[in-house]
Amino acid sequence: PVVYFASHHLRSGNCVAVTGSHNPPDYNGFKMVIAGQALSGEAVTALYRRITEGRLTLAETPGDYRTQEVGEEYVRRIADDVQLERPLKVVADAGNGVAGPLAEVLLQAIGAEVIPLYCDVDGTFPNHHPDPSEPHNLEDLVQTVKRFDADLGIAFDGDGDRLGVVTPDGTIIHADRLLMLFAADVLGRNPGAMVIYDVKCTGKLADFILRHGGSPLMWKTGHSLVKAKMAETDAELAGEMSGHFFFRERWFGFDDGLYAAARLLEILALREASPQEVLQALPDAVSTPEIKVPVADGTPHALVSLVVSAAKGEDPPFLGGRLSTIDGLRVDFPDGWGLVRASNTTPVLVLRFEADDEAALERIKALFRAQLQPLLGAQPLGF
């Protein structure tokens, strides 16, 4: 996020971050923004082909470079806009990712009391994997929040663009419910604004946004895809189940876990109720976390295409459900929904299920299981 900020602050419009994001240490890659647009999919592939084939344009005069730290400006820009009405005690777990050095500085600058956890940078990730969407990665955070009697626990992923949250009683507040809180806040100042969410988010989100005077739009998963849709629709806010939050109101519209944490604490500090009471009052349902099923490299998209074809076939397996195929297959029923899609970054199928009660959840899971198991043979599905 600091690289994205620098592209705005230094008015370059272009930036490249070297990162493996939340993937294991042996992954690496680039996040690229050209003329304000995040590259994804075919644009990245086309650039790779140009490089490997030597189809490069050479400038008549060689360029130059300079180094410049922007961390202080980043913190100052946020702290000048966000200040807590009352102090909150927060445990910040950076998972030894790059958010660590700035997390404590920023959160203290906005008025929080910060207890740092794994905020030293270590790319071997010796304590736990820096992916806050996986519940087992938050176990140390939960214990530390309880030990210090903190108001809240927050976690960041490896490159700091995602946010995870736990309450003092150890409840993980998933990102789609956090997006409700952000939406209510933003829509209070921007009635009618569009709020974008990805296909993995709760079915209760659209109704919540509508009741608060907003326009909900479900879209594909992927930070670059969401940012492009925000630019196209002038949305003020967007969020993904994985913990990416994008604020255009008062910010620049890119995903930033540290900034999202600041906005969350700002909202919670305004309420008389405790952070736990505020967060637990948000609409909820019976749901699974993201379920990841490893498959052979290159086959996730092919498998999803087969499931989509079957769902649209002559003998549809999801009777009574509303199909969405903008990103994999999501089927919404009156009492819940299920999703299967191919990951953008690793060779896995990603699934998620939600329902009004356990019986409905099991029914929907069984429908998806019946479609996937014949395609995967004896491989366990994990749900």
Side-chain angles (χ1 to χ4, degrees):
V2 177
V3 178
Y4 295 149
F5 169 78
S7 74
H8 291 276
H9 180 67
L10 303 176
R11 294 179 172 83
S12 75
N14 310 301
C15 63
V16 181
V18 182
T19 173
S21 188
H22 60 281
N23 288 326
D26 54 317
Y27 278 76
N28 226 328
F30 302 112
K31 286 183 177 177
M32 295 169 281
V33 175
I34 306 296
Q37 296 295 314
L39 299 192
S40 66
E42 178 55 32
V44 176
T45 306
L47 178 58
Y48 173 76
R49 284 198 299 264
R50 280 185 57 201
I51 293 169
T52 57
E53 295 168 8
R55 294 185 286 110
L56 303 174
T57 301
L58 299 179
E60 293 182 4
T61 305
D64 59 7
Y65 75 93
R66 61 189 169 96
T67 60
Q68 183 168 338
E69 293 288 343
V70 295
E72 288 186 9
E73 289 91 337
Y74 170 81
V75 170
R76 187 181 307 115
R77 168 64 175 78
I78 297 173
D80 282 349
D81 180 52
V82 179
Q83 287 292 316
L84 306 189
E85 283 292 310
R86 61 186 175 93
L88 295 173
K89 185 192 291 186
V90 183
V91 179
D93 179 359
N96 299 111
V98 296
L102 281 181
E104 185 176 8
V105 175
L106 172 62
L107 297 176
Q108 286 178 341
I110 68 170
E113 179 186 343
V114 185
I115 299 157
L117 180 65
Y118 309 143
C119 283
D120 55 313
V121 179
D122 185 340
T124 66
F125 309 126
N127 296 292
H128 64 74
H129 193 59
D131 182 353
S133 68
E134 296 283 355
H136 63 269
N137 292 327
L138 300 174
E139 291 172 0
D140 288 358
L141 177 60
V142 168
Q143 294 305 316
T144 307
V145 169
K146 291 178 180 177
R147 185 162 70 248
F148 286 92
D149 193 26
D151 294 299
L152 202 66
I154 56 178
F156 307 104
D157 73 332
D159 57 1
D161 56 14
R162 296 194 292 137
L163 173 68
V165 173
V166 301
T167 58
D169 70 350
T171 301
I172 297 170
I173 306 298
H174 292 301
D176 48 1
R177 295 179 72 210
L178 292 176
L179 186 58
M180 294 179 183
L181 198 63
F182 290 140
D185 178 62
V186 170
L187 291 169
R189 293 181 294 274
N190 302 270
M194 179 168 287
V195 179
I196 297 173
Y197 57 96
D198 78 321
V199 294
K200 294 186 286 187
C201 286
T202 174
K204 297 184 178 295
L205 185 52
D207 181 61
F208 185 93
I209 293 168
L210 286 168
R211 285 191 287 108
H212 284 81
S215 302
L217 176 65
M218 187 167 71
W219 194 238
K220 302 174 184 178
T221 292
H223 74 99
S224 54
L225 303 174
V226 171
K227 276 182 276 203
K229 199 64 176 178
M230 286 188 77
E232 177 189 326
T233 60
D234 288 332
E236 292 289 351
L237 174 69
E240 294 185 88
M241 184 64 199
S242 57
H244 291 267
F245 296 101
F246 312 75
F247 291 85
R248 206 165 65 100
E249 188 222 35
R250 296 163 54 190
W251 195 234
F252 300 102
F254 57 77
D255 43 333
D256 185 341
L258 287 167
Y259 181 75
R263 290 286 290 261
L264 174 64
L265 296 178
E266 178 188 48
I267 294 167
L268 295 175
L270 287 168
R271 305 291 183 90
E272 291 186 7
S274 70
Q276 178 157 308
E277 291 169 335
V278 172
L279 292 167
Q280 291 188 335
L282 295 167
D284 201 5
V286 181
S287 65
T288 68
E290 288 185 39
I291 299 164
K292 297 176 181 178
V293 181
V295 295
D297 199 357
T299 62
H301 291 87
L303 290 171
V304 170
S305 295
L306 291 173
V307 177
V308 170
S309 296
K312 294 180 175 180
E314 295 182 359
D315 188 19
F318 299 105
L319 291 175
R322 185 177 72 253
L323 307 185
S324 171
T325 57
I326 58 171
D327 185 1
L329 176 69
R330 173 165 166 157
V331 185
D332 282 83
F333 298 94
D335 57 353
W337 57 273
L339 167 76
V340 58
R341 59 178 292 276
S343 169
N344 294 329
T345 55
T346 51
V348 299
L349 294 175
V350 179
L351 298 102
R352 191 173 186 232
F353 304 95
E354 178 184 89
D356 293 341
D357 53 49
E358 290 286 353
L361 188 72
E362 289 305 315
R363 188 193 81 247
I364 296 169
K365 286 163 66 174
L367 289 171
F368 277 77
R369 198 181 297 120
Q371 296 302 304
L372 286 169
Q373 197 69 74
L375 299 175
L376 293 171
Q379 178 179 340
L381 295 177
F383 70 92

